Structures are given as structure tokens and as C-alpha cells.
Amino acid sequence: MIWNKEIECADRETIEAVQLIKLKKTVKHTYDNVKCYRDKMDEKGVKPEDIHSLEDIRKLPFITKEDIADNYPTGLFAVPMSDVVRVHSSSGTTGKPKIVGYTRNDIDAWGECVARGLAMAGADENDVVHVSYGYGLFTGGLGAHLGAETMGATAIPMSSGNTQKQLMFMKDLQSTVLCCTPSYALTLAEGLEKHGMTKDDLHLKSGLFGAEPWTQAMRDEIEKRLGIRAHDIYGLSEIMGPGVSTSCEYNEGMHIQEDYFYAEIIDPKTLEPVPDGEKGELVLTTLGKEGMPMIRYRTRDICYLMRDKCKCGRTTVRMSRVFGRSDDMLIIRGVNVFPSQVEVVIGEFDELTLNYKLIVGRENNTDTFQLQVEFAPGLAVEDIEFVENMRARVERALRDMLGIGCNVKFLNPGTLPRSEGKAVRIEDTRRL
């Protein structure tokens, strides 16, 4: 099923004409209402009226995560708060979250994008969409929920956790589409077997999985154990949330909703564009977003673009899966984690030094996360009572900062290797 054939199957000339009209309006709206971006444009000597073609987007300055942090909480909003009908947020680089505001039109556009993604997963108004992404300020749950309601399908707002109850509702309400992280999909599969059920006891036919990196092997296991077709869905709070792109039944890249987003791939070092098919950093521009428009936002996600017509009939540009990031941000169990956030927590404890290492791995298709950190000189790890008390305090502080659990291992002073250059803080053994 194709939700909006008029745009999803349009020829390139039509798509690019729509993009150019919306790009001009977005640049003008942003220049007039966002001081930070107006200052950036003025510094480069470019005005909204200088945009005559899509290629002219390269004249415009980038927006980065640092700009969002510097303008916390609402400095990048382009409308007054009276026009903002919803706020979401994601983790930031210094402990401050990235606040995102949506107007009524922005919410409608978001619902449209996710509805298109659900259609790629074979859903329509007769389906029951089981949403096991987290609800709240995180965009996953409410984003998927919004798409289901836009489509006219039945949405079950389960959120995550309580696997037995998830399976009960899934069975009794005959859920047909599952939306969650891929790791939680496998948790549900394990729960199914633990409670003496099989995939035949459910009515699931497909799933939309995102918010964390996952492998083809993981896709194969999900499809086998749940008896469904597993689709990728991509998004980020700063741009909109889930639904920026989704894979169709052929799973040969994710279709970008080009009438709402303009995609570029750049070399993260030179900031120059790279050819289609070549890996680089994904840069996204929102087209028509009112509340918090993003122009040339550096996502830091590494992927490549494909412009050939897909076998499903859609003509929109597709992006590959994300291979990694051009900065040091980690995605652990669907949550963005920055080493600088961990440093903020460590710095609150006089008993600890800032000599630390983050160990990220994967066991049974679930991310593992450990902090190794040295005690301050004069403290020893042999005092078990002291160590356990410290561990509880630090792990609690990390969970408060990051939103996920982290196992803490204390080391004696001088244990970790030193570096004369940039310290190696991360050991990520996951193979994606």
C-alpha cells in the first residue's frame, strides 16, 4: 500500500519543484524569526532572496547540536509559545536536553510522515498498531501513535516494559503491527517462548523498528521468531521524530519523505557534498516546519543516498541504514549518550578522577554499557562497603543524567592508559 501516491511516486521534477517552494518559505521564515540563524546567514552574507534553486542550499550555514545547546531552551523556536501545541526533547551534550516545539501544522505533518511509513509496512485503517516505544518527552511512542491515528488504524499505547502484559494485549486485541526498538522486539519474542506461546498465537504481520542501530542478522531473527516482516524507521527529535524515512517491503534503503525533508550527504571533514552511493554525514533541512525549523542540520549520522526508482514504485530518495556517527555520540538501547554527559556526572564526585572509559557491547541482541573509572589517589577499591555505596550513588546519578542504566566498575588510580593526544574514552565492540 502507498499512502500518498501523488508525492511518493511523483517524478523528480515535481518533487524538486515542491521542495524549492517550501525551501524558500522555510529560509524566509527562519531568517525572520530565529536570531541565531539570521546571525549565521548575515555572517555568510546570504539572504533568503538568494535562494533560487535547490543547489543554492549550499550557500546556507549549518545548524549543529551545539547551536541547540547554546540556545536552550527555546532560542531556536520560530513561533511564540502560544503557537506551540506540543514539546518533546532528547538528550543534549551537556546535560541540558534538546527542546523541540511543534505547531498544529507540524503535528499534522508528522502524522502524515509516520502514516506513510506504516503503509510501507503494509498497514491500513483496519490494522491494530501496538506501540511499545516509550511515551513522554521521547518522540518514539507518541510519534508512532500519531501516525496510526492519522491513518485511521487502532493505536494501542502500551509503551515499553511489562512483557507479559504486552503479549496479553497483543494476543487479545489481535495487534497486527508492532512498533518498538529492535532489541525490545526480541525481548518480546523471548517472552513469547517463556510463557509457552508461539508466534502463531499472535496476529502480527509487520513491525517498524528504530531508535537504535541493528543488524541484518537481528532483522532475520526478529522476522523468524515473531513471524513478521521487519522494517526500518528513522528519525530524530531535532528534525521531527520517527518517520523521516522508512523502508518498504523490499528493505533496500529507507524512503525519505522528500516533501518534508531535504537530504544532503557531506564529507564531515571538508563539509563538501559527496556523490550518491558514497558514505558521508547526513544533513537534513526541514521543509515547511514552523515551530523549530532546522536548516542544514548536521545529524552526524553516517549513511549514503540512493536515487534510483525502488521496486515498490516510490520515487523518493532512499537513505541506507546508519553505519555510525561522525562524532562521539553513542546510541545505547535507543538512547543518545555523550561522553561529556558522563564526565558531568563523574565531576560531581570528589572520590573519582576524570580518567574513565566507556565499554559498550552487545549480548543476546541487547546493548551492554559499563563505565570504568579510577578512584582519586589515596582511595582503594578493597573496601567493599565503601565501593558498593559509591557504586550505587554513581549508577543512580548516571541513570538520572542519561535515562538508562550503566554498570560501574571502579579502578585503582593509574590503571587506565594515558594518551598524549585525544583520550580514547570509548570501546564499542558491537558489530552492526
Side-chain angles (χ1 to χ4, degrees):
M1 174 183 172
I2 298 177
W3 178 253
N4 190 334
K5 288 187 178 181
E6 184 177 355
I7 189 66
E8 293 182 79
C9 300
D11 56 52
R12 291 308 309 168
E13 291 77 10
T14 299
I15 292 174
E16 291 176 2
V18 170
Q19 288 184 312
L20 181 56
I21 291 171
K22 298 179 84 169
L23 175 62
K24 289 180 177 181
K25 290 182 178 179
T26 297
V27 173
K28 179 71 164 62
H29 174 60
T30 308
Y31 184 86
D32 289 345
N33 295 287
V34 182
K35 182 181 184 301
C36 168
Y37 202 72
R38 180 167 61 250
D39 291 345
K40 282 175 170 281
M41 287 181 62
D42 288 345
E43 185 178 343
K44 289 199 70 171
V46 60
K47 301 291 184 184
E49 52 267 26
D50 295 327
I51 305 302
H52 304 290
S53 67
L54 290 177
E55 289 70 29
D56 287 337
I57 198 171
R58 297 174 189 172
K59 299 176 182 178
L60 298 169
F62 295 102
I63 291 179
T64 66
K65 63 182 182 182
E66 290 78 17
D67 292 318
I68 299 177
D70 291 344
N71 289 276
Y72 175 89
T74 60
L76 294 185
F77 283 19
V79 298
M81 283 299 291
S82 58
D83 291 337
V84 173
V85 300
R86 190 191 297 179
V87 167
H88 281 283
S89 78
S90 66
S91 54
T93 59
T94 60
K96 289 183 178 179
K98 302 174 197 170
I99 304 295
V100 183
Y102 301 76
T103 67
R104 178 72 261 171
N105 289 335
D106 293 339
I107 293 293
D108 291 343
W110 190 6
E112 168 71 14
C113 289
V114 181
R116 294 179 190 179
L118 285 166
M120 291 182 205
D124 60 25
E125 67 275 8
N126 298 309
D127 280 284
V128 178
V129 181
H130 191 99
V131 183
S132 294
Y133 285 115
Y135 278 66
L137 290 172
F138 173 58
T139 55
L142 284 166
H145 187 114
L146 177 62
E149 289 188 340
T150 299
M151 171 172 276
T154 302
I156 303 179
M158 287 298 301
S159 195
S160 56
N162 199 336
T163 300
Q164 185 173 1
K165 188 175 183 180
Q166 297 263 1
L167 294 171
M168 180 182 73
F169 272 69
M170 209 176 290
K171 177 183 178 181
D172 295 345
L173 295 178
Q174 301 186 7
S175 303
T176 54
V177 180
L178 173 63
C179 298
C180 63
T181 63
S183 57
Y184 192 64
L186 286 179
T187 298
L188 289 170
E190 291 170 0
L192 197 69
E193 297 153 6
K194 180 180 178 181
H195 292 93
M197 301 169 65
T198 72
K199 59 187 178 183
D200 295 331
D201 292 314
L202 304 180
H203 293 77
L204 291 177
K205 64 180 183 181
S206 63
L208 286 175
F209 306 114
E212 65 183 11
W214 53 310
T215 61
Q216 181 59 44
M218 201 168 180
R219 184 197 307 277
D220 293 341
E221 187 173 356
I222 290 171
E223 292 187 337
K224 178 182 178 181
R225 295 173 69 178
L226 290 180
I228 64 175
R229 179 177 291 277
H231 298 256
D232 295 90
I233 187 167
Y234 172 83
L236 56 168
S237 299
E238 304 94 297
I239 295 297
M240 181 184 70
V244 171
S245 63
T246 313
S247 65
C248 65
E249 63 267 34
Y250 294 98
N251 273 321
E252 296 178 352
M254 293 174 277
H255 293 269
I256 297 173
Q257 307 306 335
E258 287 194 89
D259 50 331
Y260 291 106
F261 312 102
Y262 184 83
E264 306 171 75
I265 301 291
I266 64 169
D267 183 314
K269 295 182 179 178
T270 67
L271 305 184
E272 293 298 320
V274 302
D276 289 343
E278 184 175 320
K279 291 181 185 178
E281 180 182 326
L282 176 65
V283 173
L284 289 172
T285 296
T286 59
L287 301 175
K289 192 178 181 186
E290 298 172 339
M292 186 173 153
M294 291 275 102
I295 296 177
R296 304 199 79 192
Y297 180 69
R298 294 188 59 184
T299 69
R300 307 289 181 168
D301 289 328
I302 301 299
C303 64
Y304 61 85
L305 297 181
M306 298 163 274
R307 297 185 189 274
D308 56 308
K309 184 177 180 179
C310 183
K311 288 178 284 190
C312 71
R314 294 175 179 85
T315 55
T316 45
V317 168
R318 305 189 311 285
M319 59 180 280
S320 70
R321 70 180 179 91
V322 174
F323 295 94
R325 294 186 56 82
S326 63
D327 61 5
D328 59 2
M329 189 191 82
L330 295 164
I331 302 178
I332 303 172
R333 298 195 288 274
V335 176
N336 296 345
V337 174
F338 296 90
S340 54
Q341 291 176 297
V342 176
E343 288 187 10
V344 169
V345 172
I346 294 173
E348 295 175 351
F349 293 88
D350 294 336
E351 299 91 339
L352 305 177
T353 72
L354 287 177
N355 296 312
Y356 71 95
K357 193 170 186 178
L358 300 175
I359 312 295
V360 185
R362 189 178 288 262
E363 294 180 4
N364 299 321
N365 290 308
T366 299
D367 291 339
T368 59
F369 186 29
Q370 182 186 75
L371 165 66
Q372 296 183 354
V373 60
E374 294 180 2
F375 272 128
L379 298 177
V381 297
E382 287 77 19
D383 187 335
I384 297 177
E385 183 178 353
F386 169 77
V387 168
E388 291 306 312
N389 178 266
M390 275 293 300
R391 192 192 323 278
R393 291 169 58 203
V394 176
E395 289 183 350
R396 182 167 57 249
L398 286 169
R399 179 176 287 278
D400 289 343
M401 170 66 81
L402 305 176
I404 61 170
C406 177
N407 174 258
V408 174
K409 180 180 181 180
F410 296 117
L411 306 174
N412 281 316
T415 302
L416 291 171
R418 272 45 175 174
S419 173
E420 294 182 359
K422 185 177 180 181
V424 178
R425 299 294 194 192
I426 300 168
E427 180 179 329
D428 191 343
T429 62
R430 295 174 295 182
R431 295 293 179 263
L432 302 174

